[in-house]
Amino acid sequence: MAESSTAPASEIADNLQTIEGFRAGRDGLGGFFPRSALLLLTTTGARSGQERTWPVVRFVIDGRLSVVGSAAGRDQHPAWYHNLLVNPQVVVEQWVDDVYESFSAVATVAAPQERDALWAEVIRQNPNFAGYPAMTTRTLPIVFLNRL
């Protein structure tokens, strides 16, 4: 299930539609994302203990699968980020070269001293992220998803 206590109902519905389309192998998810630009991240709720699945933009930085806790520039970290800080074992679903895969991973947050160089690579791979830091006072975390 994809949900967040702070997400509007329309966003939850959009996430569920994106998740369904992703798993079905459709392209043009969320109106414009190719499925290869996204992954599905399943975390265990920090408080509830329930599994939650989130569509997240996918990055490969220095050969490492990564995601960014951008929340589209909102002032709060996304719920999935809070979840993985408490429960770092996650499940990743992705499409690579038209092949679907699902695997367990351990999430690790990039160290502050690495972040600036990593952020430059995030922007290079997806320029849409460039404006997010100006929209919030928080630092947008970069998270590595290390396959188990």
Side-chain angles (χ1 to χ4, degrees), residues 72-146:
R74 292 187 188 109
D75 285 328
Q76 295 83 26
H77 290 300
W80 60 258
Y81 179 71
H82 293 290
N83 291 346
L84 65 79
L85 290 177
V86 174
N87 301 303
Q89 188 161 340
V90 299
V91 174
V92 175
E93 297 171 66
Q94 66 177 356
W95 287 89
V96 178
D97 299 326
D98 291 327
V99 175
Y100 170 84
E101 65 176 346
S102 175
F103 57 90
S104 294
V106 173
T108 57
V109 179
Q113 61 271 25
E114 294 180 278
R115 195 188 168 287
D116 288 345
L118 296 171
W119 186 253
E121 182 59 19
V122 166
I123 299 308
R124 190 192 70 70
Q125 289 185 29
N126 191 328
N128 294 325
F129 278 64
Y132 292 158
M135 298 168 69
T136 183
T137 57
R138 68 184 176 90
T139 299
L140 306 182
I142 298 172
V143 178
F144 294 112
L145 303 172
N146 307 296

Side-chain angles (χ1 to χ4, degrees), residues 13-40 54-58 93-95 100 128:
D14 288 347
N15 281 351
L16 291 173
Q17 192 172 39
T18 299
I19 291 166
E20 178 184 299
F22 184 92
R23 289 180 172 152
R26 291 196 289 271
D27 226 347
L29 299 166
F32 56 94
F33 284 110
R35 70 174 175 251
S36 62
L38 298 177
L39 60 76
L40 299 183
W54 316 88
V56 185
V57 175
R58 175 185 182 275
E93 297 171 66
Q94 66 177 356
W95 287 89
Y100 170 84
N128 294 325

